[in-house]
Amino acid sequence: MPKQIVAGNWKMNKSLADAIELAESIANGLTELEHYADSIILAPPYHALAAVSSICEDHSILKTGAQNCHQLDSGAYTGEISSTMITSCGAEFVILGHSERRQHFNESDELLTEKVNAALKAGLNIIFCCGESLETREKNLHKTFVTDQLKKSLFHLSKEDFSKIVIAYEPIWAIGTGVTASPEQAQEMHNEIRSFLRTEYSAEIANDISILYGGSCNPKNAAELFALPDVNGGLIGGASLKSEDFLSIIASFSS
Ligand code: PGA
């Protein structure tokens, strides 16, 4: 069975003090919601990772993640952070392949393969993002585009390593735009991803992998999205920056 997961991608937001306040407020509000989800992941920017991780320590379902990692372990790479540095902050996850990193930092499928390997070697779990542009969808190439992204960066993994992957389907046209994929569009793609993994990889992996939806997910639309058969939770950007909104998204799981 896939785990039900809600992850908050804080992107480049929050001072250290504000990040601590947000994490504490989520942790305090979570006590009543612990039965709703299997894991809640907070992904603050690096400067707050250690502090947020120590707040999460007391809550078994609350974990932290970084938003990126370098493909190497150490060296003369000014401004970068490695997977082992991330684990040393207490984080258990890293987000890789986010469309903002693919777009603004030219992260290719090949580079992402290296980052995936580095993160797994350090013992991190990965939230691996995929998703098509509006142009690709309008050409009706979205399914092939997304499954190709997965194939190129993940299909070299062993079954054991694949069990450390969570997939986030995030259509680029829905990220930060207020336009959400319709339930039909989300279910169609999530089902496509799961079926693709089943035929091309392994039935076991396909049945167990959590596939999160991301892109303008908010307290109003989360319940409908999370109720879809192949949607196992969400990767939340804007709405993860306010604890009330984030907690209400977590409460949107029906069971
Ligand atoms: P959004 O971002 O919820 O603000 O659309 C989601 C994401 O980029 O992970």
Side-chain angles (χ1 to χ4, degrees), residues 3 11 40 61 68 73 82 88 114 137 142 146 150 153 158 176 193 196 199 203 207-208 215-216 227 234 240:
K3 287 193 173 127
K11 307 194 179 180
I40 307 298
I61 69 162
N68 175 37
D73 204 38
S82 74
S88 77
E114 291 180 44
R137 179 165 278 269
H142 49 292
V146 165
L150 300 177
S153 299
S158 67
I193 293 170
F196 183 73
T199 47
N207 294 341
D208 285 344
S216 298
S240 70

Side-chain angles (χ1 to χ4, degrees), residues 5-191:
I5 298 173
V6 180
N9 175 8
W10 298 1
K11 307 194 179 180
M12 196 173 71
N13 292 293
K14 303 287 175 190
S15 66
L16 177 58
D18 290 346
I20 291 172
E21 191 183 320
L22 176 59
E24 277 172 347
S25 167
I26 292 168
N28 292 337
L30 205 63
T31 339
E32 288 162 30
L33 296 176
E34 292 210 331
H35 59 283
Y36 281 83
D38 297 302
S39 294
I40 307 298
I41 302 155
L42 306 182
Y46 308 127
H47 72 297
L49 200 50
V52 171
S53 295
S54 73
I55 294 166
C56 295
E57 256 170 27
D58 298 335
H59 301 261
S60 59
I61 69 162
L62 206 46
K63 322 260 183 222
T64 52
Q67 299 171 18
N68 175 37
C69 69
H70 194 268
Q71 63 276 23
L72 297 177
D73 204 38
S74 62
Y77 299 97
T78 305
E80 290 290 328
I81 189 164
S82 74
S83 297
T84 47
M85 292 170 186
I86 292 167
T87 55
S88 77
C89 292
E92 292 178 37
F93 283 81
V94 62
I95 299 172
L96 289 176
H98 193 284
S99 59
E100 285 155 16
R101 297 225 43 104
R102 292 182 192 258
Q103 259 178 329
H104 307 311
F105 301 93
N106 299 321
E107 295 200 357
S108 64
D109 297 311
E110 294 71 30
L111 176 65
L112 287 167
T113 307
E114 291 180 44
K115 292 190 177 206
V116 163
N117 292 342
L120 290 170
K121 192 168 165 226
L124 286 167
N125 298 284
I126 298 169
I127 300 179
F128 188 84
C129 304
C130 54
E132 81 288 354
S133 65
L134 190 56
E135 203 189 345
T136 304
R137 179 165 278 269
E138 280 168 350
K139 287 187 193 144
N140 201 27
L141 296 172
H142 49 292
K143 289 186 187 170
T144 331
F145 182 84
V146 165
T147 49
D148 256 16
Q149 282 183 322
L150 300 177
K151 199 170 187 171
K152 285 179 179 156
S153 299
L154 298 178
F155 271 33
H156 62 290
L157 297 178
S158 67
K159 282 187 190 170
E160 196 191 340
D161 280 343
F162 219 107
S163 67
K164 302 193 86 182
I165 308 286
V166 170
I167 290 174
Y169 168 58
E170 300 204 308
I172 298 171
W173 45 271
I175 296 179
T177 56
V179 179
T180 319
S182 67
E184 294 73 27
Q185 288 171 323
Q187 172 55 25
E188 181 196 42
M189 185 60 91
H190 282 233
N191 182 262

